[in-house]
């Protein structure tokens, strides 16, 4: 039997796990968009147990942490290991225009979706203009 030895194989494997590759990025992919009075962030987390997902907000910094584990147990033999495993973390900075206290999260079909309402103070409002002390008309602000 012919065996190939590569002294840098383990270093390359660890670097790929940490930094990822073009085919397998080590970070969770994100789509973010605004629809009406809500901002949405959707994270791709296929194969992640929903109980391993942790979502926190501290001082307008949203942190999402998730863990994907390999199957373990007696009789489990790993034949190929191409999917990134371990703990994934992503941080987003939320602007003051979002109401992080009312953030909602859901996990379906391997996608974590966060729904964050736009803060009332950031929505357009009407301002009353007074002339000679009387309210005469309103304008949009």
């Amino acid at each position: 039997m012919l065996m190939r030895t590569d002294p840098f194989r383990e270093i390359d494997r660890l670097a790929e796990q940490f930094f990822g590759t073009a085919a397998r990025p080590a970070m969770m992919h994100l789509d973010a968009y605004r629809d009406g009075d809500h901002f949405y962030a959707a994270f791709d987390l296929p194969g992640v147990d929903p109980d391993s997902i942790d979502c926190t907000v501290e001082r307008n910094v949203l942190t999402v942490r998730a863990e994907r584990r390999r199957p373990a147990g007696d009789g489990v033999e790993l034949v190929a290991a191409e999917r990134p495993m371990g703990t994934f973390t992503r941080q987003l900075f939320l602007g003051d225009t979002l109401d992080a206290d009312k953030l909602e999260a859901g996990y379906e079909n391997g996608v974590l979706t966060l729904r964050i309402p736009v803060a009332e103070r950031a929505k357009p409002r009407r301002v009353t203009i007074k002339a000679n002390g009387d309210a005469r008309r309103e304008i949009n602000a």
Side-chain angles (χ1 to χ4, degrees):
M1 181 167 162
L2 181 62
M3 304 257 324
R4 181 181 83 145
T5 58
D6 184 357
F8 300 105
R9 180 177 175 197
E10 190 64 19
I11 293 171
D12 289 342
R13 188 186 67 76
L14 288 173
E16 283 179 11
Q17 240 182 347
F18 185 70
F19 298 113
T21 65
R24 294 178 300 157
M27 69 184 329
M28 42 181 114
H29 292 287
L30 161 78
D31 284 341
Y33 56 94
R34 181 176 174 169
D35 184 12
D37 289 340
H38 289 87
F39 176 83
Y40 294 87
F43 298 88
D44 278 348
L45 296 171
V48 170
D49 180 5
D51 292 334
S52 78
I53 299 172
D54 185 34
C55 183
T56 59
V57 177
E58 183 179 348
R59 292 188 176 187
N60 287 359
V61 177
L62 168 72
T63 303
V64 176
R65 228 178 233 100
E67 184 177 3
R68 184 182 303 128
R69 299 181 189 111
R70 296 207 186 281
D74 294 339
V76 174
E77 179 182 349
L78 188 61
V79 177
E82 296 182 350
R83 297 180 347 163
M85 297 291 162
T87 302
F88 303 88
T89 303
R90 184 87 187 249
Q91 288 188 321
L92 297 176
F93 294 95
L94 305 177
D96 291 335
T97 60
L98 299 176
D99 191 352
D101 292 335
K102 295 181 181 172
L103 184 144
E104 297 173 359
Y107 182 73
E108 186 176 343
N109 296 327
V111 178
L112 172 68
T113 303
L114 305 179
R115 181 177 183 243
I116 311 164
V118 174
E120 288 298 321
R121 67 182 174 276
K123 294 179 183 176
R125 64 190 184 287
R126 229 173 234 294
V127 176
T128 302
I129 300 195
K130 296 180 180 180
N132 298 329
D134 294 336
R136 298 279 175 145
R137 63 182 193 144
E138 296 179 349
I139 63 169
N140 288 326

